[in-house]
Amino acid sequence: MANKLKVLNNSVRSLYHYNKKTVKLPYLPQFLWLEPTGQCNLACVVCPNSVLESKENITYMPLGQFKKIVDEASEFIGSAFLFLGGESFLHKDIFKMIRYAEDKGIRPLIHTNATILTDKYIEEIFKSGLDYISFSFDGYTKEQYEKVRVGAKYEKTIENIVKFLKRKKELGVKKPYTVLQTLITDSDTYVPGNELEQKFHTIFDDLPIDEVNIRFPHNWGNTLNNTDQYKPKTLTEETYSPCSYLWVSMSILANGKVVPCCFDFEGECEIGDTNTHSLKEIWNNDKMVEFRQSMVDQTYEKHCGICKGCVYLWHEKTLGIPMGMATVMGQSLMNVIGSGSEKYFKQALKLIQPEFWYTVKQ
């Protein structure tokens, strides 16, 4: 508990130093994106993986390297998304990774396309200690879904998710906290709570989904700015905010390279390498400090091209807290009060700030 409170305290400190525009930080990150693999079995039109120019950096992180990173991170990290650009369940050691992170006191979280959830994988998920799982299911009909999730089959993916939820209900367990996320690609015509949406959600009636998350796809920095497959979320704020992820988190690719945020699938903007340096060394190295300063000065394009046009630099704030930092602070709080409280926390936020993007199942 002492370490969890330290992580939460550092999250609060991060907001102070962010607002103060401190670029060499007197605390360590609180959150990780740690990628087991950049490999994916789909080619979704809303994901940069579908347009990668090079596949050279796509690899699988060795279990030994994963453990080395987690060993150091356990001193100051509270939660970690064990994914970034790939489908994590493709990694042969993914359940060992989840268990190792959990045993080291890092709350393991996963986002998955749910296409390879076999009966064996479902049982392993419940044994592994996974605290949070989010299923991506983008579309309310077979036509919508398979147009976005290229390579996936509508009926099979639904079958996998329902099978997982029924098993969770049979076991009578609360973990993992379970999210169903849908990206709306036809934002111009979308009507919240439309008939198709309601009909789709009846599939999961009486099944233990904790949260239904309906969002609009963004441009992944500027990686998908020119896509004709969907309309990326547009800039809504007039006030610029430096990317707050640089003040609270680190993102590590499967090859061990550290990048500024989880949008950099290819390592275009490398700021460190866990193969040669510790996380503590990278956190305040020259590249990281210079990059934070460039965010403050709005000269970031010379450091990282994918930041140009990124919606997160102009995203509406949550209770006055910038997007990325709000996410990490929320996760730091969940570490202390438990993931079972997450739905109530988000329901309260929704009441306070109606435009809050999560829809939590009652």
Side-chain angles (χ1 to χ4, degrees):
M1 177 58 76
N3 190 56
K4 292 178 180 179
L5 292 174
K6 182 174 72 172
V7 171
L8 182 58
N9 179 60
N10 280 342
S11 289
V12 175
R13 292 174 70 195
S14 70
L15 181 59
Y16 169 79
H17 284 283
Y18 175 84
N19 289 331
K20 193 180 177 184
K21 298 181 171 60
T22 307
V23 294
K24 191 164 186 176
L25 301 175
Y27 58 84
L28 292 165
Q30 303 99 59
F31 193 88
L32 279 186
W33 272 266
L34 182 53
E35 181 181 67
T37 180
Q39 186 68 49
C40 190
N41 58 326
L42 303 183
C44 306
V45 300
V46 292
C47 177
N49 237 331
S50 64
V51 296
L52 290 183
E53 293 182 2
S54 170
K55 301 288 185 179
E56 291 180 5
N57 291 329
I58 294 181
T59 186
Y60 290 82
M61 180 176 283
L63 182 59
Q65 184 178 12
F66 177 90
K67 289 182 175 181
K68 174 179 172 289
I69 292 170
V70 168
D71 285 345
E72 182 188 359
S74 64
E75 298 176 27
F76 47 86
I77 294 293
S79 302
F81 266 128
L82 304 187
F83 76 93
L84 198 148
E87 171 52 53
S88 298
F89 287 121
L90 291 173
H91 198 296
K92 66 181 180 64
D93 292 322
I94 186 59
F95 298 110
K96 292 179 182 177
M97 291 174 165
I98 294 169
R99 172 50 63 191
Y100 194 79
E102 171 72 11
D103 288 347
K104 286 290 182 175
I106 294 178
R107 182 170 166 249
L109 323 170
I110 274 187
H111 195 66
T112 176
N113 60 38
T115 58
I116 55 173
L117 286 186
T118 63
D119 291 345
K120 180 181 178 181
Y121 271 38
I122 289 171
E123 292 303 315
E124 290 294 334
I125 287 171
F126 290 113
K127 293 176 183 177
S128 67
L130 186 63
D131 201 84
Y132 174 110
I133 189 168
S134 176
F135 297 120
S136 286
F137 201 97
D138 302 327
Y140 297 130
T141 66
K142 178 180 177 66
E143 181 183 7
Q144 288 177 346
Y145 173 78
E146 293 183 4
K147 181 180 178 181
V148 176
R149 294 269 154 184
V150 178
K153 297 299 181 184
Y154 178 84
E155 295 86 357
K156 179 59 179 174
T157 310
I158 286 181
E159 178 187 331
N160 291 346
I161 296 172
V162 169
K163 190 160 46 176
F164 170 88
L165 292 169
K166 285 182 176 179
R167 184 58 177 151
K168 183 181 179 184
K169 187 174 182 178
E170 288 173 3
L171 293 171
V173 296
K174 299 295 184 181
K175 291 173 56 175
Y177 184 88
T178 304
V179 178
L180 180 68
Q181 176 175 291
T182 300
L183 296 180
I184 304 298
T185 55
D186 54 343
S187 56
D188 288 338
T189 59
Y190 172 69
V191 178
N194 62 74
E195 185 177 348
L196 274 180
E197 186 174 283
Q198 291 185 44
K199 182 179 180 181
F200 174 77
H201 286 148
T202 61
I203 296 171
F204 309 101
D205 282 351
D206 300 320
L207 293 174
I209 289 180
D210 298 296
E211 180 181 319
V212 174
N213 185 348
I214 301 169
R215 304 179 72 174
F216 299 98
H218 50 72
N219 59 356
W220 293 94
N222 70 356
T223 307
L224 294 176
N225 264 350
N226 299 317
T227 181
D228 59 359
Q229 299 296 313
Y230 68 96
K231 183 179 179 180
K233 182 175 181 177
T234 54
L235 308 179
T236 55
E237 291 289 292
E238 296 181 358
T239 304
Y240 167 81
S241 298
C243 179
S244 59
Y245 283 122
L246 298 174
W247 274 259
V248 293
S249 66
M250 295 181 79
S251 297
I252 306 172
L253 301 177
N255 61 10
K257 303 294 179 66
V258 178
V259 292
C261 79
C262 58
F263 290 1
D264 189 0
F265 284 23
E266 291 188 272
E268 178 183 333
C269 309
E270 180 188 330
I271 53 177
D273 189 344
T274 60
N275 295 291
T276 55
H277 293 85
S278 70
L279 300 181
K280 292 178 183 178
E281 290 170 334
I282 296 169
W283 179 240
N284 274 318
N285 70 10
D286 290 344
K287 283 187 177 181
M288 181 68 97
V289 170
E290 289 171 7
F291 196 29
R292 291 191 190 110
Q293 187 63 56
S294 75
M295 278 289 166
V296 172
D297 299 336
Q298 294 191 50
T299 58
Y300 48 82
E301 286 183 38
K302 68 180 182 181
H303 287 274
C304 190
I306 65 172
C307 299
K308 182 180 180 180
C310 179
V311 296
Y312 276 44
L313 301 178
W314 306 87
H315 202 288
E316 62 269 18
K317 296 181 178 180
T318 301
L319 303 181
I321 303 171
M323 174 69 173
M325 187 171 287
T327 299
V328 172
M329 291 181 75
Q331 291 299 335
S332 296
L333 182 60
M334 292 309 108
N335 294 337
V336 175
I337 65 177
S339 58
S341 303
E342 187 159 350
K343 66 170 70 175
Y344 306 112
F345 174 70
K346 289 177 177 175
Q347 285 171 352
L349 277 180
K350 190 81 172 178
L351 289 173
I352 297 169
Q353 187 167 331
E355 64 270 26
F356 187 62
W357 59 92
Y358 293 105
T359 301
V360 182
K361 188 175 180 182
Q362 302 292 330

